[in-house]
Amino acid sequence: MELLNKTISRIEKIDYSLSNRTQKRLDNLTKPQGSLGRLEELAKQVVEITRKDKPELKDKVIFTFAADHGVTEEGISAYPKEVTAQMVYNFIRGGAGINVLARQAGAKVVVADLGVAEQIQKSKFKNQNFIDKKIGLGTKNFAKGPAMTKQEAIRSIESGMEIFLAEFEKGIDIAGIGEMGIGNTASASAISAVITDKPVKELTGRGTGIDDKTHSRKIEIIEKAIALNKPQAKDAIDVLAKVGGFEIGGLAGVVLAAASKRVPVVMDGFISTCAALLAYVIEPKVKDYLIASHCSVEKGHKAILEYLGLKPILDLSLRLGEGTGAALAMPVIEAGVKILTEMATFQDAGVSESI
Amino acid sequence: MELLNKTISRIEKIDYSLSNRTQKRLDNLTKPQGSLGRLEELAKQVVEITRKDKPELKDKVIFTFAADHGVTEEGISAYPKEVTAQMVYNFIRGGAGINVLARQAGAKVVVADLGVAEQIQKSKFKNQNFIDKKIGLGTKNFAKGPAMTKQEAIRSIESGMEIFLAEFEKGIDIAGIGEMGIGNTASASAISAVITDKPVKELTGRGTGIDDKTHSRKIEIIEKAIALNKPQAKDAIDVLAKVGGFEIGGLAGVVLAAASKRVPVVMDGFISTCAALLAYVIEPKVKDYLIASHCSVEKGHKAILEYLGLKPILDLSLRLGEGTGAALAMPVIEAGVKILTEMATFQDAGVSESI
C-alpha cells in the first residue's frame, strides 16, 4: 500500500496555463488556424502533461499484461483459457498482432505475466522484455465469490507501478497499455457496470466472438456476480478485488505511475480503458494524462470513454486488445507533436497571413 | 491525348478472386477472426490492387501539386493568392505540414507546379523533388468564362501522369495525393456539384476559414459559374476545363496513371478527392484503387466520399490539404499489410483455435 499511496500523492493537476501559449504557437505555423484539428489538440495535451514546450515522443513503450480469469469455468469465452499462456509465448516470440504493430510504430512491447494460470517457461527465451510478476494462477471465479483478496488487488496495482517505474528509468516518453486474458471482457463489463452504474447488458459484448446463447449467459453471470459480491463503486480496490483481474489491476498501476511521472498514457480497447477507469476512481487527476486510441467494437468501451469524457483518435472496428490500438495511435500523437515542433512559422517561411 | 488514352486503356479491373485467399490467411493468424477490422480490409485491398500475396508498402510517395485560381479575384478566400507560391517555397524548404507528416510516415513528397501564378525560382534550391510542369499562370476566373481550354485540361492530366510515371520508374508502392492552391475549394465545390448533381450549397464549406458573408458570396459565384459555363457532368475533361484547376487535373492524372500501374492511391481532403472523382468519371475502374485517408471538415468531402462509396480511415477534423491526411493514413495502411505478412499463424505459434 506504501507504493500505491506514494504514487498517488505525486500525481499533479495538469498545468493548463501552457495551453494558451501552445495554441499561439500552433496558430503561427504556416497553415490556416486550427486546420490540423485533433493533431493540434493532441500536441497541446502532450505539452500540458510533460510541461515541455517542445516535447519529444521518441521512447514509446507498450505494456501488455496477461492474466487468467476463474470465471472462464462458466464457459463464456470463445477460446479455451490455455490461449492466455499460448499468446504470452507468441508475444515473447514477436508473432502477435501487438508485436507487428509496435514494430511499425517504433514502440517497445513490455510483456508481463500478472497471473497466468500456468508457469511461463521464460528460460526458453532470451527476450528481455518479459517480466514475471505473477500474483496467482489466475483469479477465482467471481460468479462464486471475490476474484481475489484485497491484498492481491493492491499487489496487482503496485506490480504494474513497479514495472512502469523500472521502464521509466530506461526512458519512456509515452506509454501504451494493452492486455491478454481469456475471459477478461467479462471482468471489464462487471467493473464498468459497477463504476458507471449502467446495466450490465449495455456494457457486455461478444468478446472474441461468442454466439447469442453464450452472450446471454455471460450477461446473467456478470449480473449474478455483482449481486453476490456487492463491489463498492467508489472503492476501486474493492471493485478490482471482487470482479477484476490481475492484469487489469496491473494496468491501473501503470496509469497511476505514468501520471505520477507526467507521461501520457494511450489506452487500447475495452479492458485497458477499464483499467484506466479504476485508476481514475482512485485518483481523478489521471484523466488528463489519458489518450483514447480508438473506439472498439466491444460496446462497453464506448460507454466508458463517454463516462471519462474522452474522444478516441481512431475508429477502425478493432477488437483485439493486446495494446494494438495504442500502437496504431502513437504515430498520430507523435505527428501532432512534430507539427508543433517542426513546422515553419509564417515569419520563417515568408508566407502571408490571413486577410 | 495519346498518353491519356494509352493510360486509361491499361487500367484493369481488380482481381477479386484474391480476396478469399487473403481472408483465409487473415483468419489463420493468431487473433480472433476479423478482430483487426479495417486493417484487415485495407490489407485485402492492397493485395487485390497489387496482385501480390505479400505486398510491401516501402516506397511511399505523396504528390503535392500547386496551382492558382483566377476565381480568387472574386474575393472568396481567407488568404491572398500569393500564398500559393509562398507555400510552394515552404514545401521545397521542408517547413510545411505535409513535409513534417511525410517525414513521420517515411514518405517522399514530390512537389509540382502545375500552374502557379508566378515563376518559382527553383534554381535557389537543390531540392530534387520539385517539378516544373506549369501550364499557365493560374486559371482564368471561371465566374466569367471557362477556367482553361480543353487542351490545357488534357495537358494538366497528362502532366500529372508524366510526373507519376517518372516517379514510378524510381519505385512507388503506394501513392498519396494532395494540393495547394488558394481558391481551389471553390473549384472543387463546382466540380463536385456538377458531377454528383447536388446543390452547390451542400458542397461548399469555409475553405481556409472565411466568414458568413464571404461564404454566401462563394456559393453564389459557384452557382453562377456553373450556369454560365454549363459543364457536362459525364465529360470530366469538359468539367475540368470549365470550372477546374491545373493542380486538380494533374492529380486526376496521377490517379489514372497509378491505377494503370496497380499502385494504391491515398486521397487527402476535399480537393484531392475531387481530382479522384474526375479520374473516376474518366474511367470508373479507378475506384477500387482509391483509399480515403480521412473525412475533412469541408462538407463537400463527405458528399464525394459517399458518392464514390469510400469509407475514410481517419476522422481528425483536418482541413489543411497538401496531402497531410494521406501522410497520416499511410502508416495505418502499411500496418494492415504487415499484419497480413508478419503475424504468426495458429499453427506457427501453437495457439489453440476458437472452441
Side-chain angles (χ1 to χ4, degrees):
Chain A
M1 199 72 184
E2 200 194 318
L3 177 60
L4 180 56
N5 289 331
K6 201 173 73 181
T7 306
I8 296 167
S9 73
R10 287 185 180 163
I11 299 173
E12 294 172 26
K13 236 179 116 44
I14 287 281
D15 182 3
Y16 288 111
S17 71
L18 290 168
S19 189
N20 279 346
R21 202 164 74 194
T22 312
Q23 189 61 57
K24 244 181 223 161
R25 208 139 43 88
L26 284 165
D27 290 346
N28 200 25
L29 301 173
T30 46
K31 59 172 185 54
Q33 288 189 9
S35 61
L36 283 173
R38 291 267 350 245
L39 289 192
E40 301 189 26
E41 290 171 22
L42 290 165
K44 271 192 289 185
Q45 190 182 356
V46 173
V47 169
E48 286 159 9
I49 292 172
T50 60
R51 301 193 187 170
K52 288 177 188 164
D53 268 348
K54 300 214 160 193
E56 268 194 289
L57 298 183
K58 225 174 60 220
D59 292 325
K60 306 174 188 74
V61 181
I62 294 169
F63 295 89
T64 303
F65 289 1
D68 273 304
H69 293 258
V71 71
T72 52
E73 70 187 37
E74 302 288 337
I76 52 169
S77 297
Y79 286 80
K81 83 171 190 188
E82 289 71 39
V83 166
T84 304
Q86 291 165 350
M87 284 301 295
V88 168
Y89 289 116
N90 199 14
F91 296 147
I92 297 175
R93 280 193 212 99
I98 185 56
N99 302 106
V100 174
L101 298 183
R103 278 198 294 273
Q104 163 81 358
K108 173 178 171 181
V109 182
V110 171
V111 181
D113 171 7
L114 275 284
V116 178
E118 58 179 90
Q119 288 306 327
I120 301 296
Q121 305 297 317
K122 61 179 171 177
S123 57
K124 284 204 241 170
F125 303 95
K126 282 188 195 155
N127 195 311
Q128 298 299 308
N129 298 339
F130 174 75
I131 295 163
D132 180 359
K133 287 272 185 187
K134 198 190 281 295
I135 289 152
L137 292 166
T139 50
K140 295 207 172 68
N141 181 355
F142 60 59
K144 296 180 175 166
M148 60 183 98
T149 65
K150 202 177 160 182
Q151 286 66 37
E152 285 173 327
I154 294 166
R155 192 139 40 101
S156 73
I157 297 174
E158 293 192 329
S159 297
M161 289 175 167
E162 285 162 11
I163 295 169
F164 177 88
L165 294 170
E167 281 302 317
F168 183 76
E169 290 305 309
K170 301 178 207 163
I172 300 188
D173 296 317
I174 187 164
I177 55 174
E179 47 50 58
M180 174 71 217
I182 298 300
N184 66 6
T185 53
S187 178
S189 294
I191 293 169
S192 50
V194 171
I195 293 175
T196 67
D197 200 27
K198 281 179 195 263
V200 170
K201 210 176 149 177
E202 286 179 24
L203 301 164
T204 307
R206 306 263 164 177
T208 48
I210 51 176
D211 59 21
D212 285 352
K213 211 178 121 196
T214 313
H215 183 233
S216 300
R217 198 166 66 244
K218 185 175 170 183
I219 293 169
E220 252 172 61
I221 283 167
I222 296 166
E223 284 170 345
K224 200 179 95 180
I226 293 172
L228 173 75
N229 291 297
K230 299 184 185 57
Q232 301 304 303
K234 295 204 165 113
D235 181 351
I237 290 166
D238 188 63
V239 178
L240 175 61
K242 286 172 173 167
V243 294
F246 297 130
E247 81 284 36
I248 296 175
L251 293 175
V254 170
V255 170
L256 292 162
S260 80
K261 295 293 186 185
R262 298 210 301 259
V263 171
V265 181
V266 190
M267 302 169 300
D268 179 21
F270 182 36
I271 299 124
S272 59
T273 304
C274 197
L277 180 68
L278 286 174
Y280 168 76
V281 173
I282 293 172
E283 174 48 78
K285 287 189 212 127
V286 301
K287 203 194 97 173
D288 296 333
Y289 294 85
L290 299 174
I291 300 173
S293 65
H294 76 111
C295 189
S296 159
V297 175
E298 270 292 311
K299 59 185 178 180
H301 191 202
K302 200 174 167 211
I304 318 183
L305 290 176
E306 278 168 10
Y307 183 83
L308 288 168
L310 298 173
K311 207 161 64 177
I313 298 173
L314 304 165
D315 186 8
L316 299 171
S317 304
L318 308 176
R319 54 180 173 85
L320 178 55
E322 302 179 1
T324 47
L328 286 163
M330 279 180 171
V332 178
I333 303 163
E334 191 177 18
V337 169
K338 286 190 172 171
I339 284 298
L340 180 69
T341 58
E342 295 186 7
M343 259 186 82
T345 63
F346 283 101
Q347 293 75 17
D348 291 342
V351 173
S352 309
E353 295 195 46
S354 176
I355 298 165
Chain B
M1 200 71 185
E2 202 195 315
L3 178 59
L4 180 56
N5 288 332
K6 203 172 72 181
T7 305
I8 297 167
S9 73
R10 287 184 179 164
I11 299 172
E12 294 172 25
K13 236 178 116 45
I14 288 280
D15 182 3
Y16 288 112
S17 72
L18 290 169
S19 189
N20 280 345
R21 202 165 71 194
T22 312
Q23 189 61 57
K24 243 181 224 161
R25 209 138 42 91
L26 284 165
D27 289 347
N28 200 25
L29 301 173
T30 45
K31 57 172 187 54
Q33 288 189 10
S35 61
L36 283 173
R38 292 264 355 242
L39 289 192
E40 301 190 26
E41 291 172 21
L42 290 165
K44 272 192 287 183
Q45 190 182 355
V46 173
V47 169
E48 286 160 8
I49 292 172
T50 59
R51 298 191 188 174
K52 288 176 187 163
D53 268 348
K54 299 215 158 191
E56 268 195 288
L57 298 183
K58 225 174 60 221
D59 292 325
K60 307 175 189 75
V61 181
I62 295 169
F63 295 89
T64 303
F65 289 0
D68 273 304
H69 292 258
V71 70
T72 52
E73 69 187 36
E74 302 288 338
I76 52 169
S77 297
Y79 286 80
K81 83 172 191 189
E82 289 71 39
V83 166
T84 305
Q86 290 165 350
M87 284 301 295
V88 169
Y89 288 116
N90 199 13
F91 296 146
I92 296 174
R93 279 193 214 101
I98 185 56
N99 302 104
V100 174
L101 298 182
R103 278 198 294 272
Q104 164 82 358
K108 173 178 170 181
V109 183
V110 171
V111 181
D113 171 7
L114 274 283
V116 178
E118 58 179 89
Q119 288 305 328
I120 301 295
Q121 306 296 319
K122 62 178 170 176
S123 57
K124 283 203 243 169
F125 303 96
K126 282 191 195 153
N127 194 312
Q128 299 298 308
N129 297 339
F130 174 74
I131 295 162
D132 181 358
K133 288 272 185 186
K134 199 190 278 295
I135 289 152
L137 292 166
T139 50
K140 295 206 174 69
N141 181 356
F142 60 60
K144 295 181 175 165
M148 62 183 97
T149 65
K150 200 178 159 179
Q151 286 67 38
E152 286 173 327
I154 294 167
R155 193 136 41 98
S156 74
I157 297 174
E158 292 192 330
S159 298
M161 290 174 166
E162 285 162 11
I163 295 169
F164 177 87
L165 294 170
E167 281 302 318
F168 183 75
E169 290 306 309
K170 301 178 208 165
I172 300 188
D173 296 318
I174 186 164
I177 55 173
E179 44 52 56
M180 174 70 217
I182 299 300
N184 67 6
T185 53
S187 178
S189 294
I191 293 169
S192 49
V194 171
I195 294 176
T196 67
D197 200 26
K198 281 178 195 265
V200 170
K201 209 174 148 180
E202 285 180 22
L203 300 164
T204 307
R206 307 264 164 176
T208 47
I210 51 176
D211 60 21
D212 284 353
K213 213 179 120 194
T214 313
H215 183 232
S216 300
R217 198 166 67 243
K218 184 175 170 183
I219 294 170
E220 253 172 61
I221 282 167
I222 296 166
E223 284 171 344
K224 201 179 93 181
I226 294 172
L228 173 75
N229 291 297
K230 298 183 184 59
Q232 301 302 303
K234 295 205 164 109
D235 181 349
I237 290 165
D238 188 63
V239 178
L240 176 61
K242 285 171 174 167
V243 294
F246 297 130
E247 80 283 37
I248 296 175
L251 293 175
V254 169
V255 170
L256 292 162
S260 80
K261 295 293 186 186
R262 300 209 298 258
V263 171
V265 181
V266 190
M267 302 170 300
D268 179 20
F270 183 34
I271 299 124
S272 60
T273 305
C274 198
L277 181 68
L278 285 174
Y280 169 75
V281 173
I282 292 172
E283 175 47 76
K285 286 189 214 126
V286 301
K287 202 193 98 171
D288 296 333
Y289 294 84
L290 298 174
I291 299 172
S293 65
H294 75 111
C295 189
S296 158
V297 174
E298 271 290 311
K299 59 185 177 180
H301 192 202
K302 203 176 165 209
I304 320 183
L305 289 175
E306 278 168 9
Y307 183 84
L308 288 168
L310 298 174
K311 206 162 64 176
I313 298 173
L314 304 165
D315 186 9
L316 299 171
S317 304
L318 309 176
R319 52 179 174 84
L320 177 56
E322 301 178 2
T324 47
L328 287 164
M330 279 180 171
V332 178
I333 303 163
E334 191 177 17
V337 169
K338 286 190 172 171
I339 285 297
L340 180 69
T341 58
E342 296 186 7
M343 259 185 82
T345 63
F346 283 101
Q347 293 75 17
D348 291 343
V351 173
S352 309
E353 296 194 46
S354 177
I355 298 165

